[in-house]
C-alpha cells in the first residue's frame, strides 16, 4: 500500500528530532529553513519568453474547440483523469524520495552509534580482574588438555603401528598358506604323472575291447532290424492293397446306388463341348465313359481338353519344340467353365489329393506314358495295386523328398532295387484334378524333352525298351510344404522293374472298365442294382476281416522294430560279446588299472608326509604364531589408548567449566555495554526497515505512473482519431474492454495506429528515438526527482544530496536505449516533424480500404495532421536550444517543439499555421485550468523541482542571499552553544 504524503510540518519535526542536542535544534531549524528558502530563490526561473500553451503531443491531453461529439467528450474526460492521476503520483513520488534521502542520512548516524557502542563493549572487558583470573584458569586448563591430547596421539600412533604389524603378519600367513597349497599341488602332479602312463595304457585296451563288443552287438541288431523292416514293408503293402480294394469296391457300391437314385435329371450333369460331365464322379471316369480325351495330334482339334497323349521330341533332336503347340482347344474359353467352376473332382488345398485321387492321377499319368510308348512301338507298363502302394511308401521317404535315389530306401519300399525318376509337381492352382493333371503333365514334359542336365536319364527310364516283356511300374505322390519356395508341392516318384512278377490286378484296366459302363447321360431312368451291391458288400466285408488281421500283424512288427531300434541306439557292453582270448585280455587290463589307481589313492591320502609339504606347513605354523602375538600387542595398546582418551575427556570437561566461568565474568563486566550495543542495533534496524518500505512504495508509485501514462496514450490517440473523423477499429488487445474509449495501441510504429497520420509522406529514414519494445512510445522516464536531471538550460546545484543505492530512480542514464528503470531521465534528440514512410505493397486488392489492407504510418505515435481547422496549433518560444529538439515531459513522451519561425516557414508543407496569439486550451497540467504557463513553469510544475534563472544577476542575488543567511545561522548557533557552556 502506498504511504500517505508527509507535509512540511512533519518534515520539520523530523529534522528537529534528528539534530536536536540541547537547544541547538533551534539553530538547526533556522539553518534548514534558510537553506531551503535560498535554494528556492536561487532556483526560481524568470521566463524571458512569450507565454505558451502546453503542446499537444504524446504525454499530454489532445484538445481542440468545444467538444460536441459525446464520444470525444468522454475520451477527453478519460484523458484528464489519467493526467490527474499522473500529477498526483508524481507529487507523491517526490515526497517519497525526500523521505528516503532523509532516512539514508539517519542510517549513517545510527551506524556510527552502533560502532561506538561496540568499541565501548570491547574496552569494558580489557581491565576487569575477575575476567583476567577466569582467562588464566582457562589457559591453564587448555594447557592440560593439550598435554593429554599428546598422550592420546602417542597411544593412537602405537595402535596404528600395531595395525600395520598385524597386516604384515596376516600377509605372511597368506603367503605361507599359498606355499603349502603349491607344495601339495606339486606332489599331486608328480603322483598323477607317475600313474598316468600305466593307467592310460590299461584304459585304452579296455575301451578298445568294449568298442569291439558294442560294434558286434550293433551289427547283430542291424541284421535283425533289416529283417523286421522288410516284413513291416510287406505287411504295409498288404494293408495298402486291401484298403485300395475296399475303397474301389465301396466306390462301385456308391456308383450303383447313385444309378438307382437317378430317376430324374441329375443336377450334377453339366454340359461341356462334345458331351456332358457328372461332377459327382471322377475326372478319369468322365473322360473314359464319355470319350472326352484330347487328340494325339493337337492340330486335329476335336474340342476336348483332357490329355492322354504327350509330345515327345525326336531322339535325334531331343530339345526340339512341339510343332503343334498352341493348336489344341483353348481351355480358358467360357464353354469349358464347367470343368473348372463346378465341384468336378475338387482337391483339398490343405491336405492335398485323397488316396483315391492319387490312384486316379497315377492312372492318368501312366496312360499318357503308355500312349507315348505305343507311338514308339514299345510295350506299355502295367501298374498293379501292390506296385502302386509301394510307390506311395517310397514317395513319403525323406530321401525322395530330397530327390535322392537312396538305394536302401528303394529296397525297403519295393523289396529290391528299381529304375526310378524323382521330381516335384507344384500344387499352386491345382484346385481340381484337371488342373493338377496339367501341372503333372508339365513336369513329365520337362523330364522327357528338357532333361539334358540329367543326361536324359529320366527320358530313358520312361521310354525303356522292354522287348516283349511286361514291366511293372507305378507313380507315387506325397504332399508336402517347401520352405524354400514358401508353397505346397507334391513329391513325384516313378519306379519300375521287370519282368513283372504279378501283373494282376492291373490298375490300368480301370479305363476299360469305365468305358464298359457306357456313357454318362442326363436322361431319366430307373435302375435296380441291389444284387450287384450285395455281392460287392460281401467282398468288402471279407476284405475288412483280412485288413484287420494284416493291421494287427503290422502293429506287432512295428513294435518289434521300435524295440530293436531302441536297443541299437543304446548298445551296452557285455563281456560275452568277446571271444575267450579277448575276455582274458580284457580282465588283465582291468586288474592293471585297479592296481595303479590303488597306489595313486594311497599316495594322495598321505601328501603331508612329503618333505616339501612338511617344510611349508612348518613355515605356516610360525607365521600364524607371529600373527597371534601382534594381535595381543594391539589389544594392550588399544586399552592404553582408551585410558588416555578417558583422561582427555575429563580434562575437556574441566576446560568447559573454566570457559563458562570466563563467559560469566565477561557478561558481568559488559552488562551495560551489551545493552548499549543492542539499543544501537535496534535503532539501525528500524531505520533500515523504513528505507526498505520507502523503496517499495517508490516502486509502486512508479508502476502507477507507468500504467496511467499507457492509458493516457490510448486516450490521446482516440481523441486524435475522432477529431480526424475516423472511427478506429477496436484492436484485439486481449485485455478487459471496460474502458472502450482507449483503443489506440501503445506502440506508435504499428500499422493500425491511424489516428494522427501526415497525409503527405516523404519517406524519411526512421529517427533513433531511444525506444525499446517494452516501453513503446515513451522514451523519457516519468519521474525526474533530482535537480541535476533537468538539463534543458539550468545550472548544477552546489550541494546535491547523496542518492541511496536502493533508489535508482534519480540516475540519468547516458544510453537512451537502456531499459526503462522507472524514473530515469533521458533526453534523446527527436526530429521536429517526422514523416510517414511510403505505403508498403501488402498484396491486397488495388482498391484502397479493402479488408486486409493496412495504410502505412510513421514511426511516431503522434504525427502532425493536415486537419488544421479542428486541431489547435502549438507554438513555443524560439530559442537556439529548442530548434530541432524535443522537451521531455513527466511521463517520457516527446513534446514536439514548433517555433513561430518554423511554423511560418513550414506552413505550406505541414499545414501548421502560427496564430496571432497563443491558443488557450481547457487542459489541466497541475495548474489552474485555463492558465497559460511558460515552458519553465510547465517543467517545474511537473517535476516539483526548483528552476535556475537564465539571468546572471538573479543567480548572483540568490547566492548572496544564501551567504548572508548562512552567516546569521552560524552566529546564532555559536551564541546558543556559548550560553550552554557558561
Amino acid at each position: 500500500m502506498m504511504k500517505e504524503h508527509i507535509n512540511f510540518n512533519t518534515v520539520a519535526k523530523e529534522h528537529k528530532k534528528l539534530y536536536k542536542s540541547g537547544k541547538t535544534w533551534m539553530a538547526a531549524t533556522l539553518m534548514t529553513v534558510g537553506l531551503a528558502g535560498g535554494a528556492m530563490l536561487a532556483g526560481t526561473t524568470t521566463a524571458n519568453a512569450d507565454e505558451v500553451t502546453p503542446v499537444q503531443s504524446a504525454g499530454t491531453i489532445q484538445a481542440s474547440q468545444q467538444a460536441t461529439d459525446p464520444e470525444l467528450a468522454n475520451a477527453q474526460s478519460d484523458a484528464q483523469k489519467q493526467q490527474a492521476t499522473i500529477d498526483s503520483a508524481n507529487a507523491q513520488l517526490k515526497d517519497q524520495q525526500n523521505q528516503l534521502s532523509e532516512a539514508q542520512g539517519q542510517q549513517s548516524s545510527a551506524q556510527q552509534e552502533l560502532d561506538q557502542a561496540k568499541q565501548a563493549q570491547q574496552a569494558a572487558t580489557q581491565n576487569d580482574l575477575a575476567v583476567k583470573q577466569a582467562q588464566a584458569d582457562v589457559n591453564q586448563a587448555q594447557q592440560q588438555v593439550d598435554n593429554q591430547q599428546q598422550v592420546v596421539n602417542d597411544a593412537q600412533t602405537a595402535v596404528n603401528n600395531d595395525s600395520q604389524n598385524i597386516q604384515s603378519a596376516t600377509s605372511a600367513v597368506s603367503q605361507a598358506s599359498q606355499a603349502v597349497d603349491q607344495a601339495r599341488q606339486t606332489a599331486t602332479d608328480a603322483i598323477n604323472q607317475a600313474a598316468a602312463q600305466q593307467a592310460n595304457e590299461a584304459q585304452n585296451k579296455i575301451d578298445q575291447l568294449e568298442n569291439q563288443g558294442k560294434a558286434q552287438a550293433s551289427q547283430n541288431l542291424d541284421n535283425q532290424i533289416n529283417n523286421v523292416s522288410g516284413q513291416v514293408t510287406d505287411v504295409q503293402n498288404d494293408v495298402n492293397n486291401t484298403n485300395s480294394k475296399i475303397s474301389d469296391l465301396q466306390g462301385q457300391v456308391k456308383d450303383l446306388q447313385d444309378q438307382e437314385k437317378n430317376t430324374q435329371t441329375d443336377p450334377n450333369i453339366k454340359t461341356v463341348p462334345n458331351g456332358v460331365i457328372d461332377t459327382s464322379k471322377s475326372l478319369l471316369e468322365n473322360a473314359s465313359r464319355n470319350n472326352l480325351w484330347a487328340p494325339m495330334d493337337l492340330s486335329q482339334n476335336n474340342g476336348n481338353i483332357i490329355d492322354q497323349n504327350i509330345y515327345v521330341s525326336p531322339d535325334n533332336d531331343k530339345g526340339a519344340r512341339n510343332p503343334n503347340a498352341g493348336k489344341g482347344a483353348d481351355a480358358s474359353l467360357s464353354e469349358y467353365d464347367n470343368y473348372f467352376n463346378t465341384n468336378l473332382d475338387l482337391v483339398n488345398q490343405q491336405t492335398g489329393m485323397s488316396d483315391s485321387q492319387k490312384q486316379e492321377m497315377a492312372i492318368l499319368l501312366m496312360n499318357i506314358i503308355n500312349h507315348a510308348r505305343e507311338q514308339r512301338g514299345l510295350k506299355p507298363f502295367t501298374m498293379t495295386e501292390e506296385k502302386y502302394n509301394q510307390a506311395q511308401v517310397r514317395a513319403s521317404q525323406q530321401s525322395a523328398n530330397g530327390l535322392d535315389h537312396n538305394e536302401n530306401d528303394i529296397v525297403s519300399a519295393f523289396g529290391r532295387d528299381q529304375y526310378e525318376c524323382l521330381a516335384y509337381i507344384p500344387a499352386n492352382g491345382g484346385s481340381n484334378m484337371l488342373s493338377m493333371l496339367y501341372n503333372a503333365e508339365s513336369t513329365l514334359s520337362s523330364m522327357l524333352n528338357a532333361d539334358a542336365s540329367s543326361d536324359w536319364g529320366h527320358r530313358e527310364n520312361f521310354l525303356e525298351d522292354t522287348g516283349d516283356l511286361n514291366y511293372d511300374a507305378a507313380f507315387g505322390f506325397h504332399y508336402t510344404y517347401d520352405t524354400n519356395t514358401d508353397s505346397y508341392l507334391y513329391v513325384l516318384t516313378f519306379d519300375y522293374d521287370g519282368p513283372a512278377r504279378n501283373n494282376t490286378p492291373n490298375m490300368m484296366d480301370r479305363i476299360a472298365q469305365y468305358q464298359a459302363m457306357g456313357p454318362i447321360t442326363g436322361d431319366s431312368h430307373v435302375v435296380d442294382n441291389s444284387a450287384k451291391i450285395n455281392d460287392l458288400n460281401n467282398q468288402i466285408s471279407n476284405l475288412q476281416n483280412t485288413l484287420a488281421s494284416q493291421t494287427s500283424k503290422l502293429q506287432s512288427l512295428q513294435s518289434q522294430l521300435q524295440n530293436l531300434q531302441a536297443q541299437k541306439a543304446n548298445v551296452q557292453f557285455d563281456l560275452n560279446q568277446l571271444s575267450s582270448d579277448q575276455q582274458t585280455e580284457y580282465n588283465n587290463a582291468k586288474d592293471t588299472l585297479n592296481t595303479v589307481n590303488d597306489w595313486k589313492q594311497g599316495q594322495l591320502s598321505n601328501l603331508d608326509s612329503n618333505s616339501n609339504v612338511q617344510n611349508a606347513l612348518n613355515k605356516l605354523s610360525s607365521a600364524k604364531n607371529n600373527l597371534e602375538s601382534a594381535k595381543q600387542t594391539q589389544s594392550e595398546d588399544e586399552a592404553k589408548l582408551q585410558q588416555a582418551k578417558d583422561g582427555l575427556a575429563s580434562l575437556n570437561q574441566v576446560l568447559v567449566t573454566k570457559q563458562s566461568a570466563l563467559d560469566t565474568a565477561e557478561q558481568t563486566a559488559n552488562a551495560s555495554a551489551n545493552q548499549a550495543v543492542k539499543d544501537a542495533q535496534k535503532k539501525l534496524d528500524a531505520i533500515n526497515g523504513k528505507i526498505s518500505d520507502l523503496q517499495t512504495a517508490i516502486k509502486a508509485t512508479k508502476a502507477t505512473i507507468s500504467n496511467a501514462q499507457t492509458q493516457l496514450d490510448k486516450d490521446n490517440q482516440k481523441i486524435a482519431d475522432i477529431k480526424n473523423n475516423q472511427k478506429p477499429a477496436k484492436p484485439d488487445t486481449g485485455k478487459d474492454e471496460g474502458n472502450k474509449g482507449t483503443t489506440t495501441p501503445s506502440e506508435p510504429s504499428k500499422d493500425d495506429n491511424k489516428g494522427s497520420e501526415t497525409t503527405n509522406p516523404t519517406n524519411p529514414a526512421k529517427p533513433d528515438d531511444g525506444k525499446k519494445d517494452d516501453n513503446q512510445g515513451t522514451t523519457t522516464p516519468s519521474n525526474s526527482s533530482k535537480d541535476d536531471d533537468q538539463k534543458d538550460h539550468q545550472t548544477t546545484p552546489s550541494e546535491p544530496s547523496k542518492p541511496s543505492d536502493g533508489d535508482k530512480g534519480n540516475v540519468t542514464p547516458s544510453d537512451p536505449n537502456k531499459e526503462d528503470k522507472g524514473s530515469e531521465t533521458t533526453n534523446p534528440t527527436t526530429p521536429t516533424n517526422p514523416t510517414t514512410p511510403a505505403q508498403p505493397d501488402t498484396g491486397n486488392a488495388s482498391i484502397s480500404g479493402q479488408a486486409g489492407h493496412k495504410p502505412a504510418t510513421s514511426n511516431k505515435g503522434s504525427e502532425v495532421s493536415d486537419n488544421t481547422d479542428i486541431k489547435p496549433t502549438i507554438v513555443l518560444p524560439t530559442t537556439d536550444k529548442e530548434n530541432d529538439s524535443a522537451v521531455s515531459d513527466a511521463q517520457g513522451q516527446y513534446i514536439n517543439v514548433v517555433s513561430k519561425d518554423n511554423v511560418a516557414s513550414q506552413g505550406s508543407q505541414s499545414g501548421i499555421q502560427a496564430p496571432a496569439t497563443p491558443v488557450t486550451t481547457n487542459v489541466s497540467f497541475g495548474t489552474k485550468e485555463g492558465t497559460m504557463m511558460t515552458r519553465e513553469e510547465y517543467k517545474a510544475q511537473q517535476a516539483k523541482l526548483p528552476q535556475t534563472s537564465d539571468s546572471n544577476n538573479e543567480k548572483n542575488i540568490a547566492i548572496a542571499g544564501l551567504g548572508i543567511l548562512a552567516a546569521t545561522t552560524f552566529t546564532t548557533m555559536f551564541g546558543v552553544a556559548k550560553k550552554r557552556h557558561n
Side-chain angles (χ1 to χ4, degrees):
M1 180 179 293
M2 189 176 296
K3 294 182 180 296
E4 297 180 355
H5 297 302
I6 302 175
N7 57 28
F8 182 79
N9 292 331
T10 302
V11 174
K13 290 179 180 180
E14 289 293 326
H15 278 283
K16 293 174 183 179
K17 184 177 181 179
L18 179 62
Y19 297 108
K20 182 177 181 181
S21 177
K23 295 184 179 180
T24 57
W25 63 268
M26 295 180 61
T29 301
L30 290 175
M31 183 176 180
T32 301
V33 174
L35 289 175
M40 294 175 61
L41 179 60
T44 303
T45 301
T46 302
N48 295 320
D50 296 336
E51 290 184 330
V52 297
T53 304
V55 295
Q56 178 181 339
S57 64
T60 62
I61 303 174
Q62 307 243 5
S64 67
Q65 292 87 352
Q66 183 64 33
T68 57
D69 188 342
E71 186 175 2
L72 175 61
N74 290 335
Q76 291 174 337
S77 176
D78 291 340
Q80 292 171 2
K81 292 178 181 179
Q82 296 301 328
Q83 185 61 54
T85 299
I86 292 171
D87 295 341
S88 175
N90 275 330
Q92 185 173 354
L93 178 63
K94 173 63 177 178
D95 192 18
Q96 290 168 343
Q97 289 172 335
N98 289 338
Q99 292 183 58
L100 178 61
S101 178
E102 179 181 336
Q104 288 167 345
Q106 295 174 356
Q107 181 187 43
S108 176
S109 177
Q111 182 64 51
Q112 183 177 3
E113 291 180 11
L114 177 60
D115 294 341
Q116 293 174 352
K118 288 182 177 180
Q119 293 175 1
Q121 181 186 45
Q122 182 178 4
T125 62
Q126 292 179 350
N127 299 317
D128 188 83
L129 296 179
V131 171
K132 290 181 178 181
Q133 181 60 44
Q135 183 64 57
D137 294 341
V138 167
N139 294 341
Q140 181 182 4
Q142 182 64 55
Q143 183 61 45
Q144 293 174 349
V145 168
D146 294 340
N147 294 339
Q148 186 64 23
Q149 182 64 55
Q150 184 59 46
V151 175
V152 170
N153 293 343
D154 294 341
Q156 184 65 57
T157 300
V159 170
N160 294 341
N161 293 336
D162 292 339
S163 298
Q164 294 178 358
N165 294 336
I166 290 175
Q167 183 177 1
S168 299
T170 301
S171 177
V173 169
S174 177
Q175 293 176 2
S177 179
Q178 293 176 2
V180 170
D181 294 338
Q182 182 63 40
R184 287 173 175 170
Q185 185 62 48
T186 301
T188 300
D189 293 342
I191 294 171
N192 289 335
Q193 184 176 2
Q197 184 174 358
Q198 296 184 29
N200 290 339
E201 291 176 357
Q203 186 63 52
N204 290 338
K205 176 59 69 175
I206 293 171
D207 294 341
Q208 178 185 358
L209 293 173
E210 287 182 352
N211 289 334
Q212 290 178 2
K214 291 180 181 179
Q216 184 62 43
S218 179
Q219 182 61 44
N220 294 337
L221 288 172
D222 281 339
N223 295 335
Q224 297 179 47
I225 289 172
N226 290 334
N227 183 30
V228 175
S229 179
Q231 296 181 48
V232 169
T233 300
D234 292 339
V235 175
Q236 181 66 60
N237 291 335
D238 293 341
V239 170
N240 292 339
N241 290 334
T242 302
N243 277 324
S244 178
K245 292 176 182 179
I246 293 173
S247 178
D248 183 55
L249 292 174
Q250 289 175 339
Q252 294 180 37
V253 170
K254 183 178 183 301
D255 292 340
L256 293 174
Q257 291 173 342
D258 290 342
Q259 291 178 6
E260 291 179 343
K261 295 178 181 178
N262 293 334
T263 58
Q264 56 185 0
T265 303
D266 192 342
N268 294 320
I269 302 299
K270 304 295 180 181
T271 302
V272 296
N274 299 325
V276 297
I277 57 174
D278 186 349
T279 59
S280 66
K281 302 184 184 306
S282 67
L283 175 68
L284 177 63
E285 182 177 351
N286 276 284
S288 300
R289 293 180 63 180
N290 285 5
N291 194 24
L292 298 178
W293 303 109
M296 179 182 66
D297 185 0
L298 295 180
S299 63
Q300 305 298 321
N301 183 8
N302 65 357
N304 293 330
I305 60 174
I306 303 176
D307 292 327
Q308 65 174 349
N309 297 282
I310 192 169
Y311 168 75
V312 180
S313 60
D315 289 338
N316 59 358
D317 189 9
K318 296 177 182 179
R321 295 178 61 83
N322 185 1
N324 295 323
K327 296 182 180 180
D330 186 0
S332 64
L333 298 177
S334 60
E335 55 260 33
Y336 297 101
D337 286 350
N338 285 331
Y339 278 111
F340 304 99
N341 297 339
T342 61
N343 295 326
L344 175 62
D345 218 352
L346 298 179
V347 177
N348 189 316
Q349 297 298 297
Q350 300 297 323
T351 60
M353 294 185 294
S354 64
D355 185 65
S356 61
Q357 286 177 327
K358 290 180 181 179
Q359 293 185 35
E360 180 185 357
M361 181 61 69
I363 294 171
L364 288 169
L365 295 182
M366 193 65 74
N367 186 39
I368 291 175
I369 293 298
N370 283 342
H371 275 83
R373 291 176 62 82
E374 289 172 1
Q375 293 173 18
R376 290 172 167 261
L378 302 175
K379 289 281 285 186
F381 288 120
T382 61
M383 185 168 60
T384 63
E385 293 180 353
E386 179 183 7
K387 194 74 171 182
Y388 166 80
N389 290 330
Q390 292 173 341
Q392 306 317 306
V393 174
R394 172 63 183 136
S396 65
Q397 291 177 335
Q398 185 62 37
S399 59
N401 191 24
L403 303 183
D404 177 19
H405 301 288
N406 186 285
E407 184 176 345
N408 291 333
D409 287 346
I410 294 174
V411 171
S412 67
F414 294 99
R416 60 179 177 173
D417 202 4
Q418 303 284 309
Y419 295 93
E420 184 175 78
C421 296
L422 298 174
Y424 295 134
I425 301 175
N428 292 339
S431 59
N432 64 7
M433 287 300 292
L434 181 55
S435 299
M436 279 304 307
L437 177 62
Y438 289 162
N439 291 351
E441 188 178 358
S442 176
T443 299
L444 289 183
S445 179
S446 297
M447 289 191 287
L448 288 169
N449 303 312
D451 198 37
S453 61
S454 298
D455 196 21
W456 303 100
H458 299 101
R459 177 187 174 108
E460 292 177 1
N461 283 345
F462 285 123
L463 302 178
E464 176 72 21
D465 186 358
T466 62
D468 294 333
L469 300 176
N470 288 325
Y471 273 54
D472 195 10
F475 283 99
F477 309 94
H478 178 67
Y479 192 59
T480 185
Y481 181 78
D482 183 16
T483 57
N484 294 326
T485 61
D486 194 23
S487 61
Y488 285 95
L489 52 79
Y490 290 91
V491 177
L492 172 68
T493 63
F494 175 76
D495 293 89
Y496 72 92
D497 65 348
R501 291 170 293 174
N502 180 16
N503 58 1
T504 58
N506 186 3
M507 293 176 61
M508 299 307 298
D509 294 339
R510 198 171 297 176
I511 295 176
Q513 293 172 359
Y514 282 136
Q515 291 174 345
M517 293 174 62
I520 298 173
T521 66
D523 300 335
S524 300
H525 55 282
V526 178
V527 179
D528 183 9
N529 292 327
S530 58
K532 295 180 180 180
I533 292 173
N534 290 333
D535 181 58
L536 291 173
N537 285 334
N538 290 332
Q539 295 181 43
I540 292 172
S541 178
N542 293 332
L543 288 173
Q544 288 175 338
N545 293 332
T546 301
L547 178 63
S549 176
Q550 293 172 341
T551 302
S552 177
K553 182 178 179 181
L554 177 63
Q555 292 175 349
S556 175
L557 289 171
Q558 288 174 337
S559 177
Q560 184 179 353
L561 180 61
Q562 290 176 355
N563 292 333
L564 290 172
Q565 291 172 339
Q567 292 178 25
K568 181 182 177 181
N570 190 25
V571 175
Q572 300 295 325
F573 171 74
D574 192 324
L575 189 61
N576 295 325
Q577 296 168 351
L578 303 177
S579 65
S580 59
D581 293 340
Q582 290 175 329
Q583 290 179 7
T584 300
E585 189 177 3
Y586 181 83
N587 291 331
N588 291 337
K590 275 284 189 179
D591 292 340
T592 299
L593 181 61
N594 292 334
T595 300
V596 171
N597 287 335
D598 290 343
W599 175 84
K600 177 181 176 181
Q601 291 299 325
Q603 292 295 315
L604 293 177
S605 62
N606 294 289
L607 276 179
D608 290 348
S609 62
N610 181 278
S611 60
N612 293 332
V613 175
Q614 186 63 44
N615 185 33
L617 287 172
N618 292 336
K619 292 181 179 179
L620 176 61
S621 176
S622 176
K624 289 182 177 179
N625 292 334
N626 293 336
L627 176 60
E628 290 300 324
S629 177
K631 290 181 178 179
Q632 180 62 32
T633 301
Q634 184 187 44
S635 178
E636 295 173 356
D637 289 342
E638 286 178 345
K640 294 178 181 179
L641 174 62
Q642 185 59 46
Q643 182 179 2
K645 287 182 178 180
D646 292 342
L648 178 62
S650 177
L651 291 175
N652 276 327
Q653 185 61 40
V654 173
L655 177 60
V656 170
T657 303
K658 299 296 184 180
Q659 186 64 52
S660 177
L662 175 60
D663 293 341
T664 302
E666 287 180 344
Q667 290 176 3
T668 302
N670 295 339
S672 60
N674 290 343
Q675 185 60 43
V677 171
K678 292 180 181 178
D679 293 342
Q681 185 65 55
K682 181 178 180 182
K683 180 178 180 180
L684 179 60
D685 292 342
I687 294 173
N688 288 337
K690 181 178 180 181
I691 291 174
S692 176
D693 293 341
L694 286 171
Q695 289 173 341
T696 301
I698 287 172
K699 182 177 179 181
T701 303
K702 291 178 180 180
T704 300
I705 293 172
S706 177
N707 294 336
Q709 183 61 48
T710 299
Q711 189 60 49
L712 178 59
D713 292 342
K714 295 179 181 180
D715 294 339
N716 282 338
Q717 185 60 52
K718 182 173 181 181
I719 292 171
D721 290 342
I722 295 172
K723 291 194 296 181
N724 289 335
N725 294 327
Q726 296 181 5
K727 296 295 185 177
K730 180 178 180 181
D732 184 7
T733 64
K735 298 180 179 180
D736 187 5
E737 297 181 2
N739 187 1
K740 298 183 178 180
T742 57
T743 61
T744 304
S746 61
E747 183 176 352
S749 61
K750 291 186 177 179
D751 290 341
D752 56 356
N753 187 3
K754 302 175 183 179
S756 56
E757 294 181 359
T758 301
T759 58
N760 296 314
T762 59
N763 303 321
K766 180 178 179 180
D768 182 6
D769 55 12
K771 292 189 296 182
K772 285 180 67 69
D773 291 340
D774 57 352
N775 190 14
Q776 297 172 356
T778 59
T779 62
T780 303
S782 60
N783 295 298
S784 299
S785 60
K786 288 186 64 177
D787 295 345
D788 55 357
D789 288 337
Q790 304 295 333
K791 298 182 179 180
D792 186 24
H793 54 275
Q794 68 180 26
T795 61
T796 303
S798 58
E799 294 182 0
S801 60
K802 181 178 179 180
S804 170
D805 291 340
D807 181 14
K808 297 182 179 180
N810 298 328
V811 180
T812 303
S814 60
D815 184 359
N817 292 321
K818 290 184 178 178
E819 183 181 358
D820 184 3
K821 298 292 185 177
S823 61
E824 294 180 359
T825 303
T826 59
N827 293 305
T829 302
T830 305
T832 302
N833 293 307
T835 56
T836 305
Q839 176 176 322
D841 181 5
T842 61
N844 294 326
S846 59
I847 300 175
S848 175
Q850 286 192 352
H853 181 73
K854 295 182 179 181
T857 61
S858 74
N859 293 324
K860 294 298 179 180
S862 56
E863 298 179 358
V864 180
S865 173
D866 287 341
N867 292 331
T868 57
D869 55 340
I870 63 173
K871 184 174 182 180
T873 300
I874 308 305
V875 180
L876 290 178
T878 301
T879 65
D880 294 336
K881 295 182 179 180
E882 293 165 353
N883 288 332
D884 300 327
S885 65
V887 178
S888 173
D889 73 350
Q891 289 299 320
Q893 299 288 345
Y894 286 127
I895 301 175
N896 294 329
V897 180
V898 184
S899 68
K900 293 180 181 180
D901 297 337
N902 288 339
V903 170
S905 63
Q906 299 175 2
S908 60
Q909 297 178 1
S910 61
I912 301 176
Q913 297 180 2
T917 59
V919 179
T920 301
T921 62
N922 295 323
V923 181
S924 173
F925 290 88
T927 60
K928 187 175 181 180
E929 182 176 352
T931 302
M932 288 189 260
M933 0 182 234
T934 65
R935 186 165 178 267
E936 264 53 46
E937 289 174 343
Y938 170 72
K939 291 173 61 179
Q941 187 276 334
Q942 288 294 312
K944 294 293 192 297
L945 293 176
Q947 300 289 319
T948 59
S949 173
D950 290 337
S951 173
N952 291 330
N953 293 331
E954 291 178 354
K955 293 178 180 179
N956 294 333
I957 294 172
I959 293 172
L962 284 174
I964 295 171
L965 182 58
T968 303
T969 303
F970 281 116
T971 301
T972 304
M973 292 176 61
F974 179 79
V976 173
K978 181 177 181 181
K979 181 179 180 180
R980 186 184 65 179
H981 289 292
N982 292 334

